[in-house]
Amino acid sequence: MKDNKIHTVVMVGNSEHSGGGIASVINLIRKMPVWEKYGIKLLATQKDGNKLTKFWCVFKAAIKAPFVIARCKIVHFQMVPGITLLTQLPALLSAKLFRKKVVMSVHVGNQLENYASDRSFKWWFRRADLVLLLAKRWEKLFKESYADVKVSTDVLYNACEMRPFIPMEEKKKLILFAGTLDKNKALDLLLKAWASIKDKYPEWRIAVLGSGDRPYFEAMSNDLGCSDSVSFKGYVVGEEKELYFHDASILCLCSYMEGFPMAVLEAWSHGIAVVTTPVGGLPDVIEDGSNCVVFPTGDYMKLAEQLDSLISKESLRMRVGEEGYRCAQSKFSSEAISEKIDFIYSNLLENNHN
């Protein structure tokens, strides 16, 4: 069916049916008032599936790009380094051909430094009217590492969908780990920490949500004597995932590198007490002992201490969960992020001389 609607904004990124952080970000924006206000149209350039499915998605997007972008005023790219630069290239060329305002949301953190010598990455940024970073520290890093790229920048946090607050006393004795099972997410730290304190808390359990090197971590759990209290659930979505976040009392994030971890935002939006490394953009907003408890990257003994405190001190667990919920509501709710996107778009349109 032909689309005759006028779209003020075309958003370029992953299909809404894909997994991963960028698809989650787009799906949340789709529910915000700003989506309807600006008649945002998604131009999907990447989709989960086999090689044929992925190629067909890229091919369709390349064909559609000139037609949908010719009629809009702003093109908003949701991007990361790598193959994304190639799959989104037809949309960027169309945006520049028709002299549209170009916004680039960059979904990386520390990795910005690694790509500072990448000419193709810099070539992209030089064609932007505005580059959006996930946190203030990444905006600072961008300005330092890409000093020769003269472009305006701003910070746009990821959003989270708020849920009705669940008092801690109604939750289960459950600790969540949610993320890819790899070295960066460092599930091994949680397993080692848990092995040192689990005998003190026989009623508590850990649920591991995520795909990756599951056999390796299952073997580690077994070797550490944790297999009776640690369960691996695989990659879960929808109602099943929602149920785990509804029930959990504690979420543990052990990552070495992040942009701005969605798992923490999801935990806060459910009133879950968070124990985390000071990773990614979190230092913008975290307060140790208030909206989370923090442990140094790679230090499983300190993680064990922090878990011990949260489990044994219900008052601390309640306070951390409540403060995290308040933080999410004020800074990361759909309403707050929608207002920021609205502000960004309206400013660009005021300066649009097309």
Side-chain angles (χ1 to χ4, degrees), residues 20-42:
I22 291 181
S24 297
V25 167
I26 292 172
N27 286 334
L28 279 172
I29 297 174
R30 186 185 291 276
K31 299 176 183 178
M32 297 178 188
V34 71
W35 190 276
E36 288 297 324
K37 179 175 180 178
Y38 290 91
I40 300 176
K41 180 178 178 61
L42 175 63

mmCIF file with all atom_site columns, all heavy atoms in Angstrom, residues 20-42:
data_model
loop_
_atom_site.group_PDB
_atom_site.id
_atom_site.type_symbol
_atom_site.label_atom_id
_atom_site.label_alt_id
_atom_site.label_comp_id
_atom_site.label_asym_id
_atom_site.label_entity_id
_atom_site.label_seq_id
_atom_site.pdbx_PDB_ins_code
_atom_site.Cartn_x
_atom_site.Cartn_y
_atom_site.Cartn_z
_atom_site.occupancy
_atom_site.B_iso_or_equiv
_atom_site.pdbx_formal_charge
_atom_site.auth_seq_id
_atom_site.auth_comp_id
_atom_site.auth_asym_id
_atom_site.auth_atom_id
_atom_site.pdbx_PDB_model_num
ATOM 1   N N   . GLY A 1 20 ? 18.202 -6.676 20.255 1.00 0.00 ? 20 GLY A N   1
ATOM 2   C CA  . GLY A 1 20 ? 19.299 -5.743 20.469 1.00 0.00 ? 20 GLY A CA  1
ATOM 3   C C   . GLY A 1 20 ? 18.864 -4.374 20.936 1.00 0.00 ? 20 GLY A C   1
ATOM 4   O O   . GLY A 1 20 ? 17.683 -4.022 20.920 1.00 0.00 ? 20 GLY A O   1
ATOM 5   N N   . GLY A 1 21 ? 19.879 -3.595 21.359 1.00 0.00 ? 21 GLY A N   1
ATOM 6   C CA  . GLY A 1 21 ? 19.616 -2.309 21.978 1.00 0.00 ? 21 GLY A CA  1
ATOM 7   C C   . GLY A 1 21 ? 19.010 -1.267 21.074 1.00 0.00 ? 21 GLY A C   1
ATOM 8   O O   . GLY A 1 21 ? 18.108 -0.525 21.478 1.00 0.00 ? 21 GLY A O   1
ATOM 9   N N   . ILE A 1 22 ? 19.473 -1.189 19.803 1.00 0.00 ? 22 ILE A N   1
ATOM 10  C CA  . ILE A 1 22 ? 18.957 -0.142 18.913 1.00 0.00 ? 22 ILE A CA  1
ATOM 11  C C   . ILE A 1 22 ? 17.481 -0.387 18.605 1.00 0.00 ? 22 ILE A C   1
ATOM 12  O O   . ILE A 1 22 ? 16.673 0.555  18.599 1.00 0.00 ? 22 ILE A O   1
ATOM 13  C CB  . ILE A 1 22 ? 19.787 -0.072 17.615 1.00 0.00 ? 22 ILE A CB  1
ATOM 14  C CG1 . ILE A 1 22 ? 21.187 0.468  17.932 1.00 0.00 ? 22 ILE A CG1 1
ATOM 15  C CG2 . ILE A 1 22 ? 19.109 0.828  16.585 1.00 0.00 ? 22 ILE A CG2 1
ATOM 16  C CD1 . ILE A 1 22 ? 22.098 0.600  16.735 1.00 0.00 ? 22 ILE A CD1 1
ATOM 17  N N   . ALA A 1 23 ? 17.116 -1.636 18.356 1.00 0.00 ? 23 ALA A N   1
ATOM 18  C CA  . ALA A 1 23 ? 15.701 -1.945 18.113 1.00 0.00 ? 23 ALA A CA  1
ATOM 19  C C   . ALA A 1 23 ? 14.862 -1.596 19.338 1.00 0.00 ? 23 ALA A C   1
ATOM 20  O O   . ALA A 1 23 ? 13.744 -1.074 19.212 1.00 0.00 ? 23 ALA A O   1
ATOM 21  C CB  . ALA A 1 23 ? 15.534 -3.418 17.748 1.00 0.00 ? 23 ALA A CB  1
ATOM 22  N N   . SER A 1 24 ? 15.396 -1.860 20.531 1.00 0.00 ? 24 SER A N   1
ATOM 23  C CA  . SER A 1 24 ? 14.671 -1.523 21.767 1.00 0.00 ? 24 SER A CA  1
ATOM 24  C C   . SER A 1 24 ? 14.466 -0.019 21.882 1.00 0.00 ? 24 SER A C   1
ATOM 25  O O   . SER A 1 24 ? 13.384 0.448  22.267 1.00 0.00 ? 24 SER A O   1
ATOM 26  C CB  . SER A 1 24 ? 15.437 -2.030 22.995 1.00 0.00 ? 24 SER A CB  1
ATOM 27  O OG  . SER A 1 24 ? 15.533 -3.434 22.990 1.00 0.00 ? 24 SER A OG  1
ATOM 28  N N   . VAL A 1 25 ? 15.515 0.742  21.543 1.00 0.00 ? 25 VAL A N   1
ATOM 29  C CA  . VAL A 1 25 ? 15.418 2.209  21.595 1.00 0.00 ? 25 VAL A CA  1
ATOM 30  C C   . VAL A 1 25 ? 14.341 2.701  20.634 1.00 0.00 ? 25 VAL A C   1
ATOM 31  O O   . VAL A 1 25 ? 13.490 3.531  20.981 1.00 0.00 ? 25 VAL A O   1
ATOM 32  C CB  . VAL A 1 25 ? 16.782 2.849  21.249 1.00 0.00 ? 25 VAL A CB  1
ATOM 33  C CG1 . VAL A 1 25 ? 16.631 4.340  20.974 1.00 0.00 ? 25 VAL A CG1 1
ATOM 34  C CG2 . VAL A 1 25 ? 17.771 2.615  22.379 1.00 0.00 ? 25 VAL A CG2 1
ATOM 35  N N   . ILE A 1 26 ? 14.358 2.186  19.402 1.00 0.00 ? 26 ILE A N   1
ATOM 36  C CA  . ILE A 1 26 ? 13.379 2.613  18.399 1.00 0.00 ? 26 ILE A CA  1
ATOM 37  C C   . ILE A 1 26 ? 11.964 2.235  18.820 1.00 0.00 ? 26 ILE A C   1
ATOM 38  O O   . ILE A 1 26 ? 11.024 3.032  18.679 1.00 0.00 ? 26 ILE A O   1
ATOM 39  C CB  . ILE A 1 26 ? 13.720 2.004  17.024 1.00 0.00 ? 26 ILE A CB  1
ATOM 40  C CG1 . ILE A 1 26 ? 15.025 2.616  16.501 1.00 0.00 ? 26 ILE A CG1 1
ATOM 41  C CG2 . ILE A 1 26 ? 12.590 2.226  16.023 1.00 0.00 ? 26 ILE A CG2 1
ATOM 42  C CD1 . ILE A 1 26 ? 15.566 1.955  15.249 1.00 0.00 ? 26 ILE A CD1 1
ATOM 43  N N   . ASN A 1 27 ? 11.802 1.042  19.360 1.00 0.00 ? 27 ASN A N   1
ATOM 44  C CA  . ASN A 1 27 ? 10.464 0.607  19.776 1.00 0.00 ? 27 ASN A CA  1
ATOM 45  C C   . ASN A 1 27 ? 9.918  1.453  20.916 1.00 0.00 ? 27 ASN A C   1
ATOM 46  O O   . ASN A 1 27 ? 8.704  1.680  21.007 1.00 0.00 ? 27 ASN A O   1
ATOM 47  C CB  . ASN A 1 27 ? 10.493 -0.869 20.173 1.00 0.00 ? 27 ASN A CB  1
ATOM 48  C CG  . ASN A 1 27 ? 10.589 -1.793 18.974 1.00 0.00 ? 27 ASN A CG  1
ATOM 49  O OD1 . ASN A 1 27 ? 10.172 -1.433 17.873 1.00 0.00 ? 27 ASN A OD1 1
ATOM 50  N ND2 . ASN A 1 27 ? 11.143 -2.974 19.167 1.00 0.00 ? 27 ASN A ND2 1
ATOM 51  N N   . LEU A 1 28 ? 10.798 1.937  21.790 1.00 0.00 ? 28 LEU A N   1
ATOM 52  C CA  . LEU A 1 28 ? 10.350 2.828  22.856 1.00 0.00 ? 28 LEU A CA  1
ATOM 53  C C   . LEU A 1 28 ? 9.968  4.197  22.296 1.00 0.00 ? 28 LEU A C   1
ATOM 54  O O   . LEU A 1 28 ? 8.963  4.784  22.701 1.00 0.00 ? 28 LEU A O   1
ATOM 55  C CB  . LEU A 1 28 ? 11.443 2.978  23.917 1.00 0.00 ? 28 LEU A CB  1
ATOM 56  C CG  . LEU A 1 28 ? 11.542 1.857  24.945 1.00 0.00 ? 28 LEU A CG  1
ATOM 57  C CD1 . LEU A 1 28 ? 12.780 2.024  25.809 1.00 0.00 ? 28 LEU A CD1 1
ATOM 58  C CD2 . LEU A 1 28 ? 10.295 1.813  25.823 1.00 0.00 ? 28 LEU A CD2 1
ATOM 59  N N   . ILE A 1 29 ? 10.759 4.722  21.364 1.00 0.00 ? 29 ILE A N   1
ATOM 60  C CA  . ILE A 1 29 ? 10.436 6.018  20.758 1.00 0.00 ? 29 ILE A CA  1
ATOM 61  C C   . ILE A 1 29 ? 9.103  5.931  20.018 1.00 0.00 ? 29 ILE A C   1
ATOM 62  O O   . ILE A 1 29 ? 8.306  6.882  20.007 1.00 0.00 ? 29 ILE A O   1
ATOM 63  C CB  . ILE A 1 29 ? 11.559 6.483  19.808 1.00 0.00 ? 29 ILE A CB  1
ATOM 64  C CG1 . ILE A 1 29 ? 12.852 6.702  20.590 1.00 0.00 ? 29 ILE A CG1 1
ATOM 65  C CG2 . ILE A 1 29 ? 11.165 7.776  19.080 1.00 0.00 ? 29 ILE A CG2 1
ATOM 66  C CD1 . ILE A 1 29 ? 14.055 7.021  19.715 1.00 0.00 ? 29 ILE A CD1 1
ATOM 67  N N   . ARG A 1 30 ? 8.832  4.783  19.424 1.00 0.00 ? 30 ARG A N   1
ATOM 68  C CA  . ARG A 1 30 ? 7.573  4.583  18.703 1.00 0.00 ? 30 ARG A CA  1
ATOM 69  C C   . ARG A 1 30 ? 6.358  4.801  19.610 1.00 0.00 ? 30 ARG A C   1
ATOM 70  O O   . ARG A 1 30 ? 5.282  5.205  19.148 1.00 0.00 ? 30 ARG A O   1
ATOM 71  C CB  . ARG A 1 30 ? 7.547  3.168  18.115 1.00 0.00 ? 30 ARG A CB  1
ATOM 72  C CG  . ARG A 1 30 ? 6.354  2.867  17.229 1.00 0.00 ? 30 ARG A CG  1
ATOM 73  C CD  . ARG A 1 30 ? 6.381  1.409  16.812 1.00 0.00 ? 30 ARG A CD  1
ATOM 74  N NE  . ARG A 1 30 ? 7.473  1.130  15.913 1.00 0.00 ? 30 ARG A NE  1
ATOM 75  C CZ  . ARG A 1 30 ? 7.430  1.326  14.601 1.00 0.00 ? 30 ARG A CZ  1
ATOM 76  N NH1 . ARG A 1 30 ? 6.333  1.807  14.032 1.00 0.00 ? 30 ARG A NH1 1
ATOM 77  N NH2 . ARG A 1 30 ? 8.467  1.042  13.840 1.00 0.00 ? 30 ARG A NH2 1
ATOM 78  N N   . LYS A 1 31 ? 6.505  4.548  20.895 1.00 0.00 ? 31 LYS A N   1
ATOM 79  C CA  . LYS A 1 31 ? 5.398  4.686  21.846 1.00 0.00 ? 31 LYS A CA  1
ATOM 80  C C   . LYS A 1 31 ? 5.287  6.101  22.425 1.00 0.00 ? 31 LYS A C   1
ATOM 81  O O   . LYS A 1 31 ? 4.362  6.389  23.172 1.00 0.00 ? 31 LYS A O   1
ATOM 82  C CB  . LYS A 1 31 ? 5.565  3.686  22.994 1.00 0.00 ? 31 LYS A CB  1
ATOM 83  C CG  . LYS A 1 31 ? 5.552  2.230  22.561 1.00 0.00 ? 31 LYS A CG  1
ATOM 84  C CD  . LYS A 1 31 ? 5.829  1.312  23.740 1.00 0.00 ? 31 LYS A CD  1
ATOM 85  C CE  . LYS A 1 31 ? 5.894  -0.145 23.325 1.00 0.00 ? 31 LYS A CE  1
ATOM 86  N NZ  . LYS A 1 31 ? 6.212  -1.027 24.470 1.00 0.00 ? 31 LYS A NZ  1
ATOM 87  N N   . MET A 1 32 ? 6.247  6.962  22.092 1.00 0.00 ? 32 MET A N   1
ATOM 88  C CA  . MET A 1 32 ? 6.276  8.311  22.667 1.00 0.00 ? 32 MET A CA  1
ATOM 89  C C   . MET A 1 32 ? 5.414  9.277  21.859 1.00 0.00 ? 32 MET A C   1
ATOM 90  O O   . MET A 1 32 ? 5.212  9.086  20.660 1.00 0.00 ? 32 MET A O   1
ATOM 91  C CB  . MET A 1 32 ? 7.725  8.828  22.700 1.00 0.00 ? 32 MET A CB  1
ATOM 92  C CG  . MET A 1 32 ? 8.666  8.037  23.568 1.00 0.00 ? 32 MET A CG  1
ATOM 93  S SD  . MET A 1 32 ? 10.361 8.722  23.462 1.00 0.00 ? 32 MET A SD  1
ATOM 94  C CE  . MET A 1 32 ? 11.280 7.464  24.357 1.00 0.00 ? 32 MET A CE  1
ATOM 95  N N   . PRO A 1 33 ? 4.944  10.348 22.496 1.00 0.00 ? 33 PRO A N   1
ATOM 96  C CA  . PRO A 1 33 ? 4.171  11.374 21.775 1.00 0.00 ? 33 PRO A CA  1
ATOM 97  C C   . PRO A 1 33 ? 4.916  11.957 20.577 1.00 0.00 ? 33 PRO A C   1
ATOM 98  O O   . PRO A 1 33 ? 4.299  12.338 19.579 1.00 0.00 ? 33 PRO A O   1
ATOM 99  C CB  . PRO A 1 33 ? 3.921  12.440 22.843 1.00 0.00 ? 33 PRO A CB  1
ATOM 100 C CG  . PRO A 1 33 ? 4.014  11.721 24.144 1.00 0.00 ? 33 PRO A CG  1
ATOM 101 C CD  . PRO A 1 33 ? 5.028  10.625 23.939 1.00 0.00 ? 33 PRO A CD  1
ATOM 102 N N   . VAL A 1 34 ? 6.248  12.023 20.663 1.00 0.00 ? 34 VAL A N   1
ATOM 103 C CA  . VAL A 1 34 ? 7.044  12.633 19.606 1.00 0.00 ? 34 VAL A CA  1
ATOM 104 C C   . VAL A 1 34 ? 6.926  11.865 18.291 1.00 0.00 ? 34 VAL A C   1
ATOM 105 O O   . VAL A 1 34 ? 7.060  12.440 17.204 1.00 0.00 ? 34 VAL A O   1
ATOM 106 C CB  . VAL A 1 34 ? 8.533  12.731 20.051 1.00 0.00 ? 34 VAL A CB  1
ATOM 107 C CG1 . VAL A 1 34 ? 9.199  11.357 20.083 1.00 0.00 ? 34 VAL A CG1 1
ATOM 108 C CG2 . VAL A 1 34 ? 9.310  13.677 19.179 1.00 0.00 ? 34 VAL A CG2 1
ATOM 109 N N   . TRP A 1 35 ? 6.631  10.571 18.359 1.00 0.00 ? 35 TRP A N   1
ATOM 110 C CA  . TRP A 1 35 ? 6.518  9.762  17.137 1.00 0.00 ? 35 TRP A CA  1
ATOM 111 C C   . TRP A 1 35 ? 5.354  10.247 16.270 1.00 0.00 ? 35 TRP A C   1
ATOM 112 O O   . TRP A 1 35 ? 5.500  10.444 15.061 1.00 0.00 ? 35 TRP A O   1
ATOM 113 C CB  . TRP A 1 35 ? 6.348  8.289  17.497 1.00 0.00 ? 35 TRP A CB  1
ATOM 114 C CG  . TRP A 1 35 ? 6.459  7.359  16.309 1.00 0.00 ? 35 TRP A CG  1
ATOM 115 C CD1 . TRP A 1 35 ? 5.483  7.016  15.418 1.00 0.00 ? 35 TRP A CD1 1
ATOM 116 C CD2 . TRP A 1 35 ? 7.636  6.673  15.870 1.00 0.00 ? 35 TRP A CD2 1
ATOM 117 N NE1 . TRP A 1 35 ? 5.959  6.158  14.456 1.00 0.00 ? 35 TRP A NE1 1
ATOM 118 C CE2 . TRP A 1 35 ? 7.283  5.926  14.708 1.00 0.00 ? 35 TRP A CE2 1
ATOM 119 C CE3 . TRP A 1 35 ? 8.944  6.596  16.338 1.00 0.00 ? 35 TRP A CE3 1
ATOM 120 C CZ2 . TRP A 1 35 ? 8.200  5.129  14.026 1.00 0.00 ? 35 TRP A CZ2 1
ATOM 121 C CZ3 . TRP A 1 35 ? 9.858  5.797  15.662 1.00 0.00 ? 35 TRP A CZ3 1
ATOM 122 C CH2 . TRP A 1 35 ? 9.481  5.081  14.516 1.00 0.00 ? 35 TRP A CH2 1
ATOM 123 N N   . GLU A 1 36 ? 4.220  10.451 16.899 1.00 0.00 ? 36 GLU A N   1
ATOM 124 C CA  . GLU A 1 36 ? 3.050  10.924 16.149 1.00 0.00 ? 36 GLU A CA  1
ATOM 125 C C   . GLU A 1 36 ? 3.182  12.397 15.789 1.00 0.00 ? 36 GLU A C   1
ATOM 126 O O   . GLU A 1 36 ? 2.799  12.819 14.705 1.00 0.00 ? 36 GLU A O   1
ATOM 127 C CB  . GLU A 1 36 ? 1.777  10.700 16.967 1.00 0.00 ? 36 GLU A CB  1
ATOM 128 C CG  . GLU A 1 36 ? 1.355  9.243  17.080 1.00 0.00 ? 36 GLU A CG  1
ATOM 129 C CD  . GLU A 1 36 ? 1.013  8.645  15.720 1.00 0.00 ? 36 GLU A CD  1
ATOM 130 O OE1 . GLU A 1 36 ? 0.460  9.370  14.875 1.00 0.00 ? 36 GLU A OE1 1
ATOM 131 O OE2 . GLU A 1 36 ? 1.318  7.456  15.501 1.00 0.00 ? 36 GLU A OE2 1
ATOM 132 N N   . LYS A 1 37 ? 3.733  13.189 16.705 1.00 0.00 ? 37 LYS A N   1
ATOM 133 C CA  . LYS A 1 37 ? 3.832  14.625 16.467 1.00 0.00 ? 37 LYS A CA  1
ATOM 134 C C   . LYS A 1 37 ? 4.616  14.934 15.199 1.00 0.00 ? 37 LYS A C   1
ATOM 135 O O   . LYS A 1 37 ? 4.248  15.837 14.430 1.00 0.00 ? 37 LYS A O   1
ATOM 136 C CB  . LYS A 1 37 ? 4.486  15.311 17.674 1.00 0.00 ? 37 LYS A CB  1
ATOM 137 C CG  . LYS A 1 37 ? 4.648  16.815 17.484 1.00 0.00 ? 37 LYS A CG  1
ATOM 138 C CD  . LYS A 1 37 ? 5.178  17.497 18.744 1.00 0.00 ? 37 LYS A CD  1
ATOM 139 C CE  . LYS A 1 37 ? 5.325  19.003 18.517 1.00 0.00 ? 37 LYS A CE  1
ATOM 140 N NZ  . LYS A 1 37 ? 5.789  19.700 19.735 1.00 0.00 ? 37 LYS A NZ  1
ATOM 141 N N   . TYR A 1 38 ? 5.700  14.189 14.975 1.00 0.00 ? 38 TYR A N   1
ATOM 142 C CA  . TYR A 1 38 ? 6.546  14.451 13.810 1.00 0.00 ? 38 TYR A CA  1
ATOM 143 C C   . TYR A 1 38 ? 6.326  13.442 12.680 1.00 0.00 ? 38 TYR A C   1
ATOM 144 O O   . TYR A 1 38 ? 7.067  13.446 11.705 1.00 0.00 ? 38 TYR A O   1
ATOM 145 C CB  . TYR A 1 38 ? 8.025  14.470 14.227 1.00 0.00 ? 38 TYR A CB  1
ATOM 146 C CG  . TYR A 1 38 ? 8.359  15.682 15.077 1.00 0.00 ? 38 TYR A CG  1
ATOM 147 C CD1 . TYR A 1 38 ? 8.275  15.626 16.464 1.00 0.00 ? 38 TYR A CD1 1
ATOM 148 C CD2 . TYR A 1 38 ? 8.710  16.883 14.487 1.00 0.00 ? 38 TYR A CD2 1
ATOM 149 C CE1 . TYR A 1 38 ? 8.560  16.732 17.248 1.00 0.00 ? 38 TYR A CE1 1
ATOM 150 C CE2 . TYR A 1 38 ? 9.007  18.006 15.265 1.00 0.00 ? 38 TYR A CE2 1
ATOM 151 C CZ  . TYR A 1 38 ? 8.919  17.922 16.642 1.00 0.00 ? 38 TYR A CZ  1
ATOM 152 O OH  . TYR A 1 38 ? 9.194  19.027 17.414 1.00 0.00 ? 38 TYR A OH  1
ATOM 153 N N   . GLY A 1 39 ? 5.308  12.621 12.822 1.00 0.00 ? 39 GLY A N   1
ATOM 154 C CA  . GLY A 1 39 ? 5.003  11.648 11.779 1.00 0.00 ? 39 GLY A CA  1
ATOM 155 C C   . GLY A 1 39 ? 6.207  10.810 11.417 1.00 0.00 ? 39 GLY A C   1
ATOM 156 O O   . GLY A 1 39 ? 6.512  10.597 10.240 1.00 0.00 ? 39 GLY A O   1
ATOM 157 N N   . ILE A 1 40 ? 6.933  10.337 12.425 1.00 0.00 ? 40 ILE A N   1
ATOM 158 C CA  . ILE A 1 40 ? 8.185  9.621  12.177 1.00 0.00 ? 40 ILE A CA  1
ATOM 159 C C   . ILE A 1 40 ? 7.927  8.330  11.396 1.00 0.00 ? 40 ILE A C   1
ATOM 160 O O   . ILE A 1 40 ? 7.023  7.561  11.712 1.00 0.00 ? 40 ILE A O   1
ATOM 161 C CB  . ILE A 1 40 ? 8.913  9.295  13.500 1.00 0.00 ? 40 ILE A CB  1
ATOM 162 C CG1 . ILE A 1 40 ? 9.242  10.586 14.256 1.00 0.00 ? 40 ILE A CG1 1
ATOM 163 C CG2 . ILE A 1 40 ? 10.184 8.491  13.234 1.00 0.00 ? 40 ILE A CG2 1
ATOM 164 C CD1 . ILE A 1 40 ? 9.871  10.369 15.621 1.00 0.00 ? 40 ILE A CD1 1
ATOM 165 N N   . LYS A 1 41 ? 8.751  8.123  10.383 1.00 0.00 ? 41 LYS A N   1
ATOM 166 C CA  . LYS A 1 41 ? 8.707  6.887  9.605  1.00 0.00 ? 41 LYS A CA  1
ATOM 167 C C   . LYS A 1 41 ? 10.024 6.148  9.798  1.00 0.00 ? 41 LYS A C   1
ATOM 168 O O   . LYS A 1 41 ? 11.098 6.736  9.695  1.00 0.00 ? 41 LYS A O   1
ATOM 169 C CB  . LYS A 1 41 ? 8.501  7.160  8.121  1.00 0.00 ? 41 LYS A CB  1
ATOM 170 C CG  . LYS A 1 41 ? 8.461  5.880  7.267  1.00 0.00 ? 41 LYS A CG  1
ATOM 171 C CD  . LYS A 1 41 ? 8.209  6.187  5.806  1.00 0.00 ? 41 LYS A CD  1
ATOM 172 C CE  . LYS A 1 41 ? 8.211  4.904  4.968  1.00 0.00 ? 41 LYS A CE  1
ATOM 173 N NZ  . LYS A 1 41 ? 7.142  3.958  5.388  1.00 0.00 ? 41 LYS A NZ  1
ATOM 174 N N   . LEU A 1 42 ? 9.948  4.858  10.087 1.00 0.00 ? 42 LEU A N   1
ATOM 175 C CA  . LEU A 1 42 ? 11.149 4.049  10.238 1.00 0.00 ? 42 LEU A CA  1
ATOM 176 C C   . LEU A 1 42 ? 11.588 3.493  8.891  1.00 0.00 ? 42 LEU A C   1
ATOM 177 O O   . LEU A 1 42 ? 10.804 2.839  8.193  1.00 0.00 ? 42 LEU A O   1
ATOM 178 C CB  . LEU A 1 42 ? 10.897 2.894  11.216 1.00 0.00 ? 42 LEU A CB  1
ATOM 179 C CG  . LEU A 1 42 ? 12.060 1.896  11.373 1.00 0.00 ? 42 LEU A CG  1
ATOM 180 C CD1 . LEU A 1 42 ? 13.284 2.589  11.955 1.00 0.00 ? 42 LEU A CD1 1
ATOM 181 C CD2 . LEU A 1 42 ? 11.638 0.718  12.250 1.00 0.00 ? 42 LEU A CD2 1
#
